[in-house]
């Protein structure tokens, strides 16, 4: 159902603008990484080790954000790290969303046995400490991009399933669903045509939040050295390296950490902003 | 009567959940390719040695047999022997649990104090710039997980302005002899407040990192409940009687607004405990989570199983207690 008021465009909130801008910059940097990055992210040069960022004494031109202990360019590594981070965010977030939301709708709309089994599984999953679960899964599957994505899907589907189940339950109890049934729609049609459009805003908001979570999980796994191979620079891996040499070269830790911080904050603010914007009650 | 029946149903679901966790973790870690006892073997071990060790740990039997034997042992409280540390898993795990519990409880207290303060300030200065500042702060604090807060704290208070320890539970130079594993509680009971202060200052950074997201959740929900309560007639009455705004918020509004927050704290507390795994690692804090990561890296199957089951048991017990507390505290449910 569309209300006339929905066509009156509200100005996009500042947080939507800011987070959207940052994520766009990041996406562009990730896509065009080989052309944007000033140096090869893997090229080592021990004579250029631990160069400070450009405004400090002893900086080398061209190495804007300095170099790490092996002489690798921090900025280039961050740009290439954005590829891994955004890839994981996009793929893992979308897959988790599809699987979790489907199970949630199934449990909330059909109830009965499917609900009982799915809810019991959610209970079991919630009893695992998620970080330990992730590390365990990576240990089982072996490190690598695919393992990380699978681990995130396996662990986080419950986030969607729980919320979407509750949302579907409350939507299913509403009069419009009953009238659709009386009007002769099948159960399945009702679900697709009536329920789905109404839970979509929640799904989109959760998806954006999940992308932020996926970035963090990847960083945590790189941090405990269980992410993808050491050949590809990742933010988590850079942070882990920076953490050990923070007293000699703080920039190796600070820049990736700040980037990760901004990215996670942006995904989360984008999710919140979209939720408010699409919320039919607030609109 | 209702209470008792609810309790029994909950205990039953709890047992099913724990059984489910046991099944998942048991079969999951046995998918790992490679021989779990490989790392125990001295160089030059014969086929016979390998077979003997496998038999000792029961790895020569079928998966189902292994599971039945293991579940039977677990029910009797025997979690097997750690492969990497060669000590009983139950001893190792129970020895580390107090460290994690103390850290989690400390974090919970910080979260309640910080969150409560923010909610109070937000309510006191509602509809002003100060409330907006509280909202922005809690929004940011909530958006960023404990792992990142921990790194930020390490950077700020461990490196740039090194006022707090960022490594370990006890300083190596601390000469105090502990007889239990509950260091803070023990030092407190033995009235060694200098030791308490030392321990608290060492776990302050990890505890604060764990507390920040929870504090934000508490602040948001409690502020919302408080603001709703501030409109009610009896609050207006208290105000017209001439009580100060602080008094009105704390004595009149708070008792009626606190219940949803309490329930939420219960649920969120399990998430906080889950967060200790990586936070302990970051701060080299000798707790359960740090031990868990080592166990995974060393492929120490019995130890991983023991730790995961213990975490799961902890989570389900906390959820049970929260549910029961909710029934006890909520007057509407008490006589249902």
């Amino acid at each position: 159902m569309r209300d006339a008021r929905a066509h009156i465009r509200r100005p996009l909130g500042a947080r939507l603008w800011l987070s959207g801008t940052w994520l766009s910059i990041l996406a562009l940097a990730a896509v065009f990484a080989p052309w944007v990055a000033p140096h090869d992210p893997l090229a080592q040069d021990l004579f250029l080790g631990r160069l400070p960022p450009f405004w400090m004494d002893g900086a080398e031109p061209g190495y804007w954000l300095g170099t790490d202990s092996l002489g690798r360019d921090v900025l280039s590594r961050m740009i290439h790290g954005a590829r891994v981070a955004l890839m994981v965010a996009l793929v893992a977030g979308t897959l988790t969303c599809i699987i979790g939301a489907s199970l949630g709708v199934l449990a909330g709309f059909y109830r009965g046995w499917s609900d009982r089994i799915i809810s019991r599984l959610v209970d079991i999953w919630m009893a695992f400490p998620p970080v330990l679960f992730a590390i365990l899964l990576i240990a089982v599957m072996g490190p690598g991009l695919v393992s990380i994505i699978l681990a995130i899907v396996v662990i986080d589907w419950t986030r969607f399933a729980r919320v979407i189940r509750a949302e579907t339950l409350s939507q299913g109890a509403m009069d419009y669903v009953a009238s659709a049934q009386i009007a002769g729609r099948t159960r399945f049609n009702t679900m697709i045509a009536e329920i789905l459009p109404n839970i979509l805003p929640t799904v989109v908001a959760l998806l954006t939040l999940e992308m932020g979570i996926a970035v963090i999980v990847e960083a945590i796994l790189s941090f405990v050295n269980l992410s993808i191979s050491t050949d590809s620079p990742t933010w988590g891996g850079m942070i882990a390296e920076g953490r050990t040499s923070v007293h000699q070269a703080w920039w190796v830790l600070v820049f990736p950490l700040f980037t990760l911080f901004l990215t996670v904050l942006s995904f989360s603010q984008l999710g919140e902003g979209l939720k408010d914007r699409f919320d039919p009650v607030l609109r | 009567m209702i209470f008792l029946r609810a309790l029994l149903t909950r205990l039953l679901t709890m047992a099913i959940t724990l059984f489910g966790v046991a099944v998942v973790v048991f079969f999951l870690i046995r998918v790992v390719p490679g021989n779990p006892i490989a790392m125990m073997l001295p160089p030059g071990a014969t086929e016979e040695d390998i077979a003997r060790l496998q038999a000792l740990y029961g790895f020569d039997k079928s998966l189902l047999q292994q599971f039945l034997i293991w579940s039977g042992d677990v029910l009797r409280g025997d979690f097997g022997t750690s492969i990497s540390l060669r000590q009983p898993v139950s001893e190792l795990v129970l020895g580390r649990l107090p460290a994690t519990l103390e850290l989690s409880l400390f974090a919970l207290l910080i979260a309640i104090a910080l969150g409560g303060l923010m909610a109070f300030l937000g309510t006191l200065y509602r509809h002003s710039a100060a409330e907006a500042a509280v909202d922005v702060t809690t929004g940011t604090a909530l958006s960023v997980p404990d792992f990142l807060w921990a790194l930020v704290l390490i950077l700020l208070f461990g490196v740039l302005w090194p006022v707090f320890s960022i490594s370990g539970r006890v300083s190596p130079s601390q000469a105090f002899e502990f007889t239990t594993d509950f260091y803070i509680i023990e030092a407190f009971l033995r009235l060694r407040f200098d030791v308490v202060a030392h321990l608290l200052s060492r776990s302050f950074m990890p505890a604060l990192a764990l507390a920040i997201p929870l504090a934000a959740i508490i602040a948001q929900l409690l502020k919302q409940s408080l603001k709703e309560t501030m409109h009610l007639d009896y609050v207006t009455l208290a105000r017209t009687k001439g009580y100060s705004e602080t008094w009105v918020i704390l004595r009149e509004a708070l008792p009626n607004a606190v219940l949803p927050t309490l329930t939420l704290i219960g649920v969120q507390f399990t998430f906080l405990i889950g967060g200790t795994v990586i936070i302990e690692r970051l701060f080299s804090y000798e707790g359960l989570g740090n031990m868990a990561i080592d166990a995974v890296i060393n492929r120490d199957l019995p130890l991983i199983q023991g730790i995961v089951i213990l975490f799961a048991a902890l989570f389900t017990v906390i959820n049970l207690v929260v549910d029961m507390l909710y029934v006890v505290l909520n007057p509407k449910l008490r006589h249902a």
Side-chain angles (χ1 to χ4, degrees):
Chain A
M1 270 223 295
R2 276 215 158 233
D3 188 312
R5 277 173 298 169
H7 295 290
I8 302 169
R9 295 194 72 89
R10 284 194 311 158
L12 285 171
R15 60 182 181 178
L16 271 183
W17 267 115
L18 287 174
S19 48
T21 309
W22 171 250
L23 291 174
S24 310
I25 294 173
L26 212 60
L28 286 174
V31 170
F32 299 106
W35 297 278
V36 180
H39 296 272
D40 177 353
L42 301 176
Q44 302 183 6
D45 189 338
L46 293 179
F47 293 107
L48 295 174
R50 289 187 187 148
L51 290 176
F54 67 90
W55 67 85
M56 286 170 67
D57 288 339
E60 281 283 326
Y63 293 90
W64 295 104
L65 300 183
T67 59
D68 64 12
S69 52
L70 296 173
R72 296 173 298 190
D73 182 41
V74 169
L75 178 62
S76 304
R77 291 177 69 73
M78 272 164 50
I79 291 172
H80 279 267
R83 291 193 139 186
V84 177
L86 290 187
M87 175 85 100
V88 169
L90 218 60
V91 179
T94 313
L95 282 178
T96 313
C97 172
I98 291 171
I99 292 171
S102 307
L103 290 173
V105 171
L106 195 70
F109 190 63
Y110 287 102
R111 297 197 288 260
W113 273 107
S114 56
D115 186 22
R116 240 169 279 171
I117 293 172
I118 291 169
S119 298
R120 190 60 55 232
L121 277 178
V122 170
D123 279 351
I124 293 173
W125 252 241
M126 299 290 289
F128 275 97
V131 173
L132 183 54
F133 201 2
I135 292 169
L136 203 56
L137 281 170
I138 299 295
V140 170
M141 295 185 287
L145 197 58
V146 177
S147 300
I148 292 177
I149 291 170
L150 279 179
I152 293 171
V153 176
V154 168
I155 295 166
D156 268 352
W157 65 271
T158 55
R159 251 179 232 278
F160 288 85
R162 266 186 312 148
V163 179
I164 299 301
R165 174 184 171 272
E167 185 87 9
T168 312
L169 269 179
S170 69
Q171 292 290 340
M174 292 205 183
D175 288 342
Y176 75 92
V177 175
S179 45
Q181 296 273 295
I182 295 166
R185 274 193 196 272
T186 61
R187 291 287 282 167
F188 185 75
N189 266 333
T190 315
M191 185 175 82
I192 299 292
E194 305 287 337
I195 304 265
L196 220 50
N198 280 293
I199 58 167
L200 212 55
T202 314
V203 174
V204 171
L206 277 179
L207 172 63
T208 329
L209 290 177
E210 183 62 36
M211 289 183 175
I213 293 167
V215 175
I216 282 288
V217 173
E218 192 280 317
I220 288 178
L221 289 171
S222 316
F223 189 82
V224 288
N225 227 338
L226 281 169
S227 185
I228 59 179
S229 72
T230 42
D231 291 350
S232 330
T234 60
W235 295 345
M238 294 179 75
I239 289 171
E241 283 164 26
R243 163 96 173 83
T244 55
S245 63
V246 68
H247 291 282
Q248 296 88 32
W250 55 264
W251 51 90
V252 185
L253 174 63
V254 170
F255 294 124
L257 180 59
F258 185 66
T259 314
L260 185 59
F261 196 95
L262 265 188
T263 309
V264 172
L265 193 63
S266 298
F267 272 123
S268 152
Q269 293 302 313
L270 193 68
E272 294 287 322
L274 287 176
K275 195 165 70 186
D276 288 355
R277 195 169 164 72
F278 287 131
D279 192 328
V281 180
L282 288 177
R283 192 164 56 189
Chain B
M1 199 45 219
I2 295 273
F3 182 79
L4 227 105
R5 197 196 279 166
L7 184 69
L8 280 178
T9 332
R10 286 303 312 245
L11 281 176
L12 192 69
T13 16
M14 203 176 123
I16 298 173
T17 304
L18 284 180
F19 180 75
V21 168
V23 172
V24 172
V25 68
F26 186 89
F27 289 100
L28 183 70
I29 55 183
R30 273 168 182 72
V31 186
V32 189
N35 191 333
I37 56 163
M39 59 166 291
M40 291 182 71
L41 296 170
T46 62
E47 288 287 316
E48 209 173 275
D49 293 337
I50 297 174
R52 217 172 48 233
L53 257 183
Q54 281 200 312
L56 185 69
Y57 282 93
F59 292 126
D60 55 340
K61 301 192 176 62
S62 79
L63 271 187
L64 194 66
Q65 268 179 311
Q66 284 187 42
F67 182 69
L68 290 176
I69 294 171
W70 177 68
S71 343
D73 287 348
V74 165
L75 287 178
R76 272 180 271 120
D78 176 8
F79 283 82
T81 310
S82 153
I83 295 178
S84 58
L85 300 167
R86 301 181 193 193
Q87 283 172 41
V89 168
S90 45
E91 258 173 45
L92 286 169
V93 164
L94 291 179
R96 284 293 185 96
L97 179 64
T100 300
L101 282 182
E102 281 192 344
L103 179 63
S104 309
L105 285 172
F106 188 25
L108 183 66
L109 289 179
I110 296 175
I112 292 173
L114 268 181
L117 182 69
M118 295 289 272
F120 170 73
L121 290 177
T123 314
L124 189 62
Y125 299 112
R126 56 193 177 281
H127 312 305
S128 74
E131 193 197 353
V134 166
D135 286 344
V136 170
T137 313
T138 54
T140 312
L142 189 58
S143 302
V144 177
D146 43 18
F147 172 69
L148 282 185
W149 286 122
L151 287 165
V152 170
L153 290 175
I154 286 175
L155 201 63
L156 291 181
F157 300 107
V159 179
L160 287 181
W161 184 41
V163 280
F164 286 103
S165 149
I166 49 168
S167 172
R169 187 183 182 198
V170 189
S171 142
S173 60
Q174 175 62 247
F176 190 71
E177 286 287 329
F178 296 101
T179 50
T180 66
D181 293 308
F182 286 98
Y183 291 177
I184 298 178
I185 296 171
E186 184 187 341
F188 189 77
L189 291 177
R190 285 164 68 178
L191 304 177
R192 286 293 303 274
F193 298 113
D194 55 323
V195 182
V196 174
H198 164 81
L199 290 168
L200 287 181
S201 81
R202 285 197 77 92
S203 47
F204 183 58
M205 286 291 104
L208 184 59
L210 287 165
I212 288 173
L214 179 55
I217 298 175
I218 293 175
Q220 286 188 345
L221 185 66
L222 187 60
K223 189 184 76 147
Q224 192 195 337
S225 312
L226 279 175
K227 279 176 72 179
E228 280 162 15
T229 318
M230 295 307 279
H231 295 302
L232 299 183
D233 289 345
Y234 80 97
V235 176
T236 316
L237 179 67
R239 208 179 282 129
T240 49
K241 279 184 188 165
Y243 291 121
S244 74
E245 194 68 7
T246 307
W247 204 92
V248 169
I249 293 174
L250 294 181
R251 297 299 298 271
E252 303 287 339
L254 189 63
N256 284 286
V258 82
L259 193 60
T261 309
L262 282 185
T263 329
L264 185 86
I265 290 175
V267 178
Q268 292 289 328
F269 186 44
T270 60
F271 294 139
L272 187 151
I273 296 176
T276 58
V277 175
I278 193 69
I279 298 300
E280 286 181 357
R281 191 71 176 180
L282 272 168
F283 289 94
S284 318
Y285 185 91
E286 299 90 345
L288 211 49
N290 212 343
M291 184 186 245
I293 294 182
D294 283 332
V296 174
I297 292 170
N298 293 330
R299 309 224 145 168
D300 191 337
L301 304 195
L303 190 55
I304 299 172
Q305 283 165 183
I307 295 174
V308 173
I309 300 278
L310 185 65
F311 267 120
L314 200 60
F315 289 6
T316 40
V317 167
I318 290 172
N319 281 332
L320 180 78
V321 172
V322 171
D323 283 1
M324 293 300 134
L325 267 182
Y326 186 69
V327 176
V328 174
L329 288 177
N330 192 341
K332 284 180 198 154
L333 292 175
R334 210 175 293 151
H335 304 291

